[in-house]
Amino acid sequence: MRSARKAPGELDEERLVRLVARGDRAAFEELYRRTAPWLAVRLRRRCADEQIVAEVMQETYLAVWRAAGTFAGASVGGTAVGWLWTIAARRLVDAFRRRAHHAEPPPAAAVADAVPAAEEEVLAATVGGDVGDALRRLAPELRQVLQAMVLDGLSVRETAVLLGLPEGTVKTRARRARIAMRRALT
């Protein structure tokens, strides 16, 4: 009689996480195969340093292996992919904090503010016209929240983790950004 158990490739991500919680290496490998490419892309949107991205990827999947049993899943309205991104975003924020704590600012750091960030250049090239002008006029803290939530498609919680802000602050900044954009476009 054949086993009723499905192969890891036939399971959804939530079921894979549940199997990983039981120590199933094949399920972990399948979860990694499915999620690592998009996770790396999302992390690279936030960090151009490949070494940090690689470290965050490794720390993320190690955390998934160790903490898969804590995944609450659909019972709390979450998804396995969202859970994975939350872990990665927290690890990225931690990596930024570690690097900032150990790094001495270069003497030319004051001049660096005048040079637009790569994200700003991409945003300018992607979003043009009146909308692009309105985005560029937003205060940087409002623009960061809007970029994370609208352009990257992050939830309030994921944005809060990524930017190291309380969820209430993210909601307030998102609302202020929408109001400012509406005014600028009318």
Side-chain angles (χ1 to χ4, degrees), residues 61-145:
Y61 285 100
L62 182 60
V64 167
W65 178 257
R66 289 179 176 167
T70 65
F71 172 62
S75 65
V76 294
T79 65
V81 171
W83 179 69
L84 187 70
W85 172 244
T86 300
I87 292 170
R90 286 180 179 157
R91 296 298 186 275
L92 184 60
V93 169
D94 291 344
F96 286 153
R97 286 181 180 152
R98 279 192 307 269
R99 179 160 283 188
H101 178 72
H102 296 294
E104 278 292 316
V111 179
D113 289 343
V115 178
E119 238 180 24
E120 298 295 325
E121 291 175 4
V122 170
L123 181 64
T126 306
V127 182
D130 294 340
V131 174
D133 291 341
L135 271 171
R136 283 184 283 285
R137 284 194 299 265
L138 281 178
E141 67 273 7
L142 300 181
R143 189 171 45 247
Q144 280 180 328
V145 168

Side-chain angles (χ1 to χ4, degrees), residues 20-97:
V20 169
R22 291 192 221 145
D24 187 326
R25 285 188 176 278
F28 179 78
E29 289 169 6
E30 178 64 18
L31 182 68
Y32 180 85
R33 185 191 66 73
R34 286 187 197 177
T35 59
W38 69 260
L39 183 61
V41 168
R42 286 187 90 172
L43 288 169
R44 285 185 189 111
R45 283 186 194 163
R46 294 287 174 202
C47 177
D49 188 327
E50 282 297 319
Q51 182 180 357
I52 290 177
V53 170
E55 288 172 13
V56 169
M57 291 283 291
Q58 185 175 13
E59 290 174 12
T60 298
Y61 285 100
L62 182 60
V64 167
W65 178 257
R66 289 179 176 167
T70 65
F71 172 62
S75 65
V76 294
T79 65
V81 171
W83 179 69
L84 187 70
W85 172 244
T86 300
I87 292 170
R90 286 180 179 157
R91 296 298 186 275
L92 184 60
V93 169
D94 291 344
F96 286 153
R97 286 181 180 152

